[in-house]
Amino acid sequence: MAGQLDSLLKSVAKDIVSTLGNSLDTTITYVKKGTSSYNVDTGEQITVDTTYSDIKVPVEFVRSQEDLAKETREARIYITPDLIGSNQPTFEDEVILTYAGSTRTAQIVNIDTKQGGQTYLFTLLVRF
């Protein structure tokens, strides 16, 4: 029974995120930061990132405030695991979104994971 409920919740979350993302026409790019390694021969730090582009998800702009003569904005992004390669978001990952007509790279500052036997929804609080 618990497995069926988890599957139902995952399906509903996926449907809601898809429907709202399409109807609100909000698109993001999610950059999953890879593991870095050091190349001893060249002396370079190498990181391979994975980019998930043109993801339609609901974005809720929640706050805009001035801090030391600079405006800081926060938004909540609702995303399902399948949209980001079934990865768990981390604070090192980036979200690229459009705000007031310009492209912004946002820092993830909080991750809320909804799950039972399987993960079905991430709510990301981002700052940009």
Side-chain angles (χ1 to χ4, degrees):
M1 181 69 174
Q4 290 174 334
L5 183 57
D6 275 345
S7 294
L8 176 65
L9 289 172
K10 186 174 184 175
S11 175
V12 169
K14 184 177 178 176
D15 186 48
I16 289 171
V17 166
S18 176
T19 301
L20 286 175
N22 285 323
S23 65
L24 296 173
D25 196 28
T26 52
T27 304
I28 65 164
T29 297
Y30 188 93
V31 180
K32 179 70 180 163
K33 294 296 185 176
T35 305
S36 62
S37 62
Y38 182 73
N39 186 326
V40 178
D41 296 333
T42 63
E44 292 180 317
Q45 187 81 14
I46 301 168
T47 303
V48 178
D49 299 337
T50 303
T51 302
Y52 301 93
S53 300
D54 299 321
I55 303 172
K56 290 193 175 281
V57 295
V59 177
E60 174 188 7
F61 294 98
V62 293
R63 185 182 315 172
S64 182
Q65 65 186 26
E66 188 174 331
D67 184 25
L68 301 173
K70 183 178 177 183
E71 189 173 12
T72 303
R73 299 171 193 91
E74 289 183 346
R76 278 192 198 94
I77 298 173
Y78 303 90
I79 193 164
T80 54
D82 61 299
L83 297 174
I84 56 172
S86 296
N87 291 301
Q88 170 71 39
T90 66
F91 294 115
E92 291 78 28
D93 298 345
E94 295 176 347
V95 175
I96 302 167
L97 52 87
T98 301
Y99 179 81
S102 64
T103 302
R104 310 292 175 105
T105 300
Q107 173 190 10
I108 299 172
V109 295
N110 192 18
I111 303 165
D112 181 26
T113 302
K114 302 294 186 207
Q115 64 184 18
Q118 55 188 325
T119 303
Y120 51 89
L121 181 67
F122 300 116
T123 305
L124 309 178
L125 181 64
V126 298
R127 185 174 294 144
F128 58 100

